Amino acid sequence: MRAATRAPVSVRKLEGGSVAPLVFVALALAVLGADLWAGPYYVKLLTRAMIVALAALALDLLVGLAGLVSLGHAAFVGIGAYAVGILAEHGITSGWIQWPVALVASAAAAAVIGALSLRTRGVHFIMITLAFAQMLYFAANSLSRYGGDDGLTIWNRSDFGGIVSLADRRTFAWLCFVLLLSVYVALARLSASRFGRVLRGAKDNERRMAALGFAVTRFRLVAFVISGTVAGLAGVLLANLTEFVAPAYMSWHRSGELLAMVVLGGMGSLYGAILGAFAFVLLEELLSRFTTHWALLFGPFLVLVVLVGRGGIAGLLARLGRIR
Amino acid sequence: MSALLAARGLAKSFGAVVAAADLDLEVEAGEIHALIGPNGAGKTTVLGLLSGELRPDRGRVFLSGREVTHAPVHERVRLGLGRTFQLSCVLPSFSVLENVAIAVQAREGSSFRFWKPASPDPRLEEPAFALLERLGIDALADRPAAMLAHGERRLLELAMALASRPKVLLLDEPLAGVGSKEAQRLVEILARLRAEVGVLLVEHDMDAVFRLADRITVLVNGRAIASGPPSVVRADPLVRAAYLGDDSER
């Protein structure tokens, strides 16, 4: 009997409260260490992991908190990246213009896609988000003015005047760190807020929430737009890191990988999505040194973590904490 | 003075099955109106039509004189319609207190708040706790709703429905599967509720129905074959033949 019982969401969240600061301290030390001893390659690798973690965080808000499984989230990363690339192609390199345009574009796309997708539930929701992402993927492929399927090289990173220089890899890495931390804190607050409670309630029992007087779809749409905007921010950073955009950023493989990271890290804990993203990016890096078929090794690892660690990496950590 | 809740000429069929046919129904302030009938008579469908989960084929629904036939569930709730479900319907991963607190939050109409934690928040938790005390389940406040016994969950559902301060309450078999001691307590609570909300009660426990109801409507195959005070309904020959006579559910 005892084993079958689950602590309520609010209680489980508290357990994460002590882990999340450790995650960020470890991350800061890693960036510092890579910069001092390991060299530019590893700084860039960590920067990419932080950007991917930002996108995974955005997806966890939907999947973990609201129970909405989107299989098209790479589309918003792509929109953010393309906004930067297209503006740069036209000579607009100011970050003060690029970034707001990119964020508004991803928010608007999320509002439209969300409004239509949220009419469906379950598997249908998964399929319709996938379908929208594929539409955008093929639309990007057909943008011959902006490189078509070859993609688009960005000659200059976003320019913020003299305030921050993204060309400096150290500055760029710390900017990504600060953004990841800020978004994490904001989403963790959101998760515990009245709004977050409505999302969790609707995940638990949508019918009951409607009978209490909540217009559930409205709340989910707001969550979808927030999530799409954060993913768009990840796209802005990714375009700046790689100095390149391509339709491949939006492919459904990317969306699937984001989902794998969220599941690997442990859904709904937020910091778990960050851990999942790091585990994914670093394992990909490590395993691909031995074989190009690295996914062959990663697959069993994912299965193992999901089976053994119910609740992903975050679940494992929480249980380890309890045993001690 | 119009009724709190009124249905006029309500009709709904599922294929060949008639769940409601030309049904008129009211709930006045201060009354408990019981809707009884054999299994499959359409009682739960009628509750679905009134609450907005189902759309009628024909007919209209009014809440405090205002037409709500096409209004969605959450809008009817805002206009003062509360309900409980036949199969207990709570938020299983929330604690008992959280379940009621979110119901209070729904009434307060201030859920687009993204920064301040929802707990602890005395504006939500104090009224919620007061309701738990009133229904005698305050000792369970911190327990996850998934761990409640059946009867306790029924009481929690009632607390959630009351938290939205409804004017009319639709109760779908609140006593089903509840032990006799808890049933006793529920009947007493429902009897006292009459003063503040109008109640439409669907229930199979005839002792409870005849103790509580001010008016009874008997539904058979989607049609109201009798409606009136308990004494009149009990004596009605049609009802005796169709329902009470061969009643095996007591």
Side-chain angles (χ1 to χ4, degrees), chain A residues 2 5-10 12 185-186 189-190 192-195 197-198 200-201 204-205 207-215 218-219 222 226, chain B residues 53 73-74 77-78 83 85 89-94 98 101-103 105-106 108 110-119 121 124 144 147 157:
Chain A
R2 188 89 198 119
T5 59
R6 282 169 60 210
V9 175
S10 53
R12 272 185 284 132
V185 169
R189 297 287 305 208
L190 181 149
S193 73
R194 290 185 176 198
F195 179 80
R197 188 188 250 174
V198 174
R200 279 185 280 123
D204 240 20
N205 193 335
R207 192 176 181 212
R208 176 77 259 180
M209 291 298 282
L212 286 178
F214 289 107
R218 216 174 294 160
F219 289 87
V222 172
I226 293 172
Chain B
E53 283 196 337
V73 177
H74 61 87
V77 177
R78 295 222 177 273
R83 84 169 287 191
F85 293 88
C89 195
V90 297
L91 306 171
S93 74
F94 281 38
E98 275 182 306
I102 200 169
Q105 185 182 323
E108 273 207 337
S110 49
S111 290
F112 282 100
R113 294 196 186 164
F114 301 89
W115 189 255
K116 220 179 133 241
S119 174
D121 182 345
L124 300 180
M147 285 174 65
E157 255 209 288

Side-chain angles (χ1 to χ4, degrees), chain A residues 153-172:
Chain A
T153 300
I154 299 168
W155 300 105
N156 289 298
R157 287 188 178 177
S158 300
D159 177 14
F160 282 98
I163 297 177
V164 278
S165 166
L166 302 193
D168 179 58
R169 95 178 80 79
R170 192 177 298 141
T171 310
F172 190 53

Side-chain angles (χ1 to χ4, degrees), chain B residues 11-230:
Chain B
K12 178 82 182 174
S13 315
F14 300 99
V17 180
V18 178
D22 198 24
L23 191 67
D24 289 339
L25 206 65
E26 300 95 32
V27 179
E28 307 277 355
E31 80 163 343
I32 295 181
H33 186 161
L35 188 61
I36 65 173
N39 284 326
K43 302 182 297 287
T44 296
T45 304
V46 170
L47 291 191
L49 293 169
L50 294 174
S51 70
E53 283 196 337
L54 298 169
R55 289 290 142 92
D57 299 333
R58 282 186 308 284
R60 305 163 78 183
V61 182
F62 299 87
L63 251 176
S64 307
R66 193 162 149 189
E67 175 153 17
V68 293
T69 313
H70 301 289
V73 177
H74 61 87
E75 220 171 291
R76 297 186 200 204
V77 177
R78 295 222 177 273
L79 291 170
L81 186 69
R83 84 169 287 191
T84 66
F85 293 88
Q86 190 172 0
L87 301 169
S88 286
C89 195
V90 297
L91 306 171
S93 74
F94 281 38
S95 75
V96 167
L97 185 65
E98 275 182 306
N99 263 284
V100 186
I102 200 169
V104 175
Q105 185 182 323
R107 175 190 79 208
E108 273 207 337
S110 49
S111 290
F112 282 100
R113 294 196 186 164
F114 301 89
W115 189 255
K116 220 179 133 241
S119 174
D121 182 345
R123 271 176 309 167
L124 300 180
E125 285 169 4
E126 272 167 19
F129 198 78
L131 271 167
L132 293 182
E133 278 180 328
R134 188 172 155 196
L135 298 193
I137 48 173
D138 46 310
L140 305 171
D142 294 325
R143 194 170 295 185
M147 285 174 65
L148 293 184
H150 183 76
E152 296 165 343
R153 209 174 308 158
R154 291 263 127 173
L155 287 165
L156 172 57
E157 255 209 288
L158 192 58
M160 292 170 79
L162 289 175
S164 52
R165 295 219 186 113
K167 294 183 201 132
V168 196
L169 203 49
L170 311 178
L171 301 177
D172 198 353
E173 298 193 26
L175 300 178
V178 174
S180 62
K181 226 177 93 191
E182 271 157 330
Q184 189 67 29
R185 192 156 99 209
L186 259 167
V187 168
E188 280 163 25
I189 289 166
L190 293 179
R192 266 179 285 143
L193 271 184
R194 188 182 345 229
E196 55 185 281
V197 290
V199 175
L200 184 65
L201 174 71
V202 169
E203 184 51 61
H204 276 299
D205 180 339
M206 285 307 132
D207 289 335
V209 167
F210 281 99
R211 271 184 61 193
L212 285 170
D214 303 294
R215 184 158 37 152
I216 297 177
T217 295
V218 183
L219 204 64
V220 175
N221 295 328
R223 282 173 201 285
I225 61 163
S227 186

